[in-house]
Amino acid sequence: MTAIEIREPGGPDVLTPARRALPTPGDGDALIRVAAAGVNRPDCLQRQGLYPPPPGASDVPGLEVAGTVVATGADAEGVEVGDRVCALVTGGGYAEYCVAPAVQCLPIPAGLSPIEAAALPETFFTVWSNVFDRGGLQAGESLLVHGGASGIGTTAIQLARAFGARVFATCGDDAKRAFCEKLGAERAINYREENFADVIPELAGGVDVILDIVGAKYLAANIKLLNPDGRLVIIAVLGGAKAELNLARVMMNRLCVTGSTLRARDPGFKGAIARALRERVWPRLEDGSLRPIIQATFPLADAARAHALLDANRSMGKLVLRVEGGP
Ligand SMILES: NC(=O)c1ccc[n+]([C@@H]2O[C@H](COP(=O)([O-])OP(=O)(O)OC[C@H]3O[C@@H](n4cnc5c(N)ncnc54)[C@H](OP(=O)(O)O)[C@@H]3O)[C@@H](O)[C@H]2O)c1
C-alpha cells in the first residue's frame, strides 16, 4: 500500500509517500480500507520529532480515519467486513489501509461522507473526554475555549452549545473570531487585540470550565477567571509547561486543575468514550445539529501542504486527506 512516512524530523517536506506492507489486524482489531484521514496538530508535532508514537503504534502519522472494514482479527466485536466506519487510531492513518481496535470504530453517521466522518474521531473523543468527563461541564454552566478556531476548538464550541452551556472562545485573528461566533460562541476574543482576562469578567463574571491549549502563559489568568468550583482542563502547552500557581486561590475557590493526553490511553478507555459518543453525540450528527467543520481537503500525497497550513496557524476547523481509489 501507499503510506506517508516521516523521512526524518523536520518541516512539512519530510512527509514522503512510500510503499509499505499492509498492516495485519491483531486480536480485537479491524483492518480498514481508508477513504479519508484527518490531519491534526499532534501529527505536526510527531513530524517535528516532538511527539513520538507510543509503544506499539505505527510510525506512520495519522490519528483518525474513515473507510470500509475489509478484515477483522479474532474477537473483534461490533464490526464486520463491509461496515463503513470512522475510527480513532494511535497512528498509521495517512495510508491506504489502517488497523484500528474495533472498540474505537464508530459507524459513519448517516448523511455524512467518509471525508466528513474522518474529521470526527480525534477532536470528538478528545473534547468529550476532557470537557464533559474530566471537566464535568453541565447545561447552564459556561465554558471558555482557548484556540476556538482550531479543530479541537470548533468541536468544543459546538458540543458545549449543543449540551446547553454558554461558550466563550479566544483566537488569533478577526476572521477566526467571526468563525467562532458563527459556530455558537457567545463572544470570541481576538487575543491580539483584546485581553480575555479583561473581557470575560465584563461578559460573564467568570466561567465554570476552561479548555486550554496554551498552558503556562495563560495559567494565572485562567485561575483568576474560574468561578468557585471551576475546572481548568489543559490539553496542550503551546505557551509553555512551567508556571507559578496561586494555590491559595485554588483552595479558596475549590478549583480543579487537570489535564490529559488521549493517544497513549488503552482501547478500553477509548472504547468507553466511543460508546458515549455513539449514544449522546452521533444522533446529533445524524440530525444535522452538529457537523464536522472542514476547511480543506488534500490528496494523501499532498499531506505536506496540509501540514504547512497547520504550521502557519492558518487553518480554521479541520483539514482532511483524501485517499485516491478508497471506498
Ligand atoms: N491532550 C490531548 O489529548 C490532545 C488531543 C488532540 C489535540 N491536542 C492539542 O490540542 C491543540 C489543538 O489541536 P488541533 O489539531 O485542533 O490544532 P489546530 O487545528 O492545528 O489549531 C491550533 C491553533 O492553536 C493556536 N495556537 C498555535 N500556537 C499557539 C500559541 N503558542 N499560543 C496560543 N495559541 C496558539 C492557533 O490558533 P490562533 O491563531 O487562534 O492562535 C492554531 O491555529 C494542539 O496543541 C494539540 O496538540 C491535545
Side-chain angles (χ1 to χ4, degrees):
M1 66 171 186
T2 298
I4 302 296
E5 286 183 347
I6 299 172
R7 207 172 54 243
E8 59 190 350
D13 59 354
V14 303
L15 295 175
T16 314
R19 297 298 291 171
R20 286 276 183 112
L22 254 65
T24 313
D27 286 358
D29 289 338
L31 178 66
I32 298 168
R33 174 68 170 99
V34 177
V39 180
N40 294 280
R41 177 72 48 148
D43 307 344
C44 301
L45 299 175
Q46 179 176 339
R47 189 204 73 224
Q48 292 166 316
L50 303 173
Y51 190 47
S58 168
D59 63 323
V60 170
L63 300 173
E64 58 187 351
V65 295
T68 302
V69 175
V70 291
T72 55
D75 302 325
E77 283 177 19
V79 293
E80 287 181 16
V81 170
D83 284 355
R84 295 169 76 245
V85 298
C86 56
L88 180 76
V89 295
T90 48
Y94 293 13
E96 289 177 328
Y97 292 84
C98 179
V99 160
V103 294
Q104 293 170 211
C105 296
L106 283 154
I108 293 181
L112 262 58
S113 68
I115 287 176
E116 291 169 311
L120 297 172
E122 175 66 10
T123 65
F124 278 73
F125 278 69
T126 300
V127 170
W128 188 264
S129 171
N130 286 287
V131 172
F132 295 95
D133 287 342
R134 193 160 284 277
L137 183 70
Q138 303 291 323
E141 289 194 321
S142 52
L143 172 73
L144 171 62
V145 182
H146 291 306
S150 66
I152 292 281
T154 52
T155 301
I157 292 171
Q158 287 197 86
L159 275 176
R161 273 302 299 268
F163 285 92
R166 288 179 80 180
V167 186
F168 304 96
T170 65
C171 54
D173 65 41
D174 282 342
K176 290 182 177 180
R177 186 173 58 72
F179 186 68
C180 292
E181 289 179 355
K182 211 167 142 202
L183 274 178
E186 186 173 319
R187 174 83 144 77
I189 299 151
N190 173 356
Y191 60 74
R192 294 184 208 282
E193 295 194 342
E194 290 182 291
N195 185 348
F196 68 89
D198 297 332
V199 177
I200 297 288
E202 284 168 19
L203 294 171
V207 290
D208 300 301
V209 179
I210 300 176
L211 182 65
D212 183 37
I213 59 170
V214 178
K217 202 168 131 197
Y218 282 2
L219 183 67
N222 282 338
I223 291 291
K224 246 180 150 173
L225 282 182
L226 282 174
N227 288 332
D229 294 304
R231 291 85 74 193
L232 168 61
V233 188
I234 299 168
I235 59 164
V237 288
L238 293 170
K242 291 187 182 170
E244 202 171 276
L245 174 63
N246 183 340
L247 291 170
R249 190 147 186 127
V250 171
M251 182 174 68
M252 300 300 288
N253 279 349
R254 303 176 302 277
L255 304 181
C256 173
V257 179
T258 182
S260 75
T261 61
L262 180 64
R263 192 177 186 185
R265 302 302 297 270
D266 61 41
F269 179 84
K270 292 171 181 168
I273 303 173
R275 288 193 296 279
L277 287 172
R278 187 163 183 175
E279 189 187 320
R280 309 278 313 276
V281 175
W282 254 227
R284 293 169 189 261
L285 288 162
E286 295 191 336
D287 73 14
S289 54
L290 289 173
R291 64 201 165 92
I293 307 297
I294 298 173
Q295 183 186 11
T297 69
F298 300 85
L300 178 66
D302 285 348
R305 278 172 54 211
H307 274 224
L309 211 58
L310 284 195
D311 280 3
N313 293 333
R314 282 183 27 237
S315 61
M316 291 196 267
K318 300 270 312 198
L319 306 177
V320 175
L321 304 175
R322 306 184 306 269
V323 181
E324 305 299 328

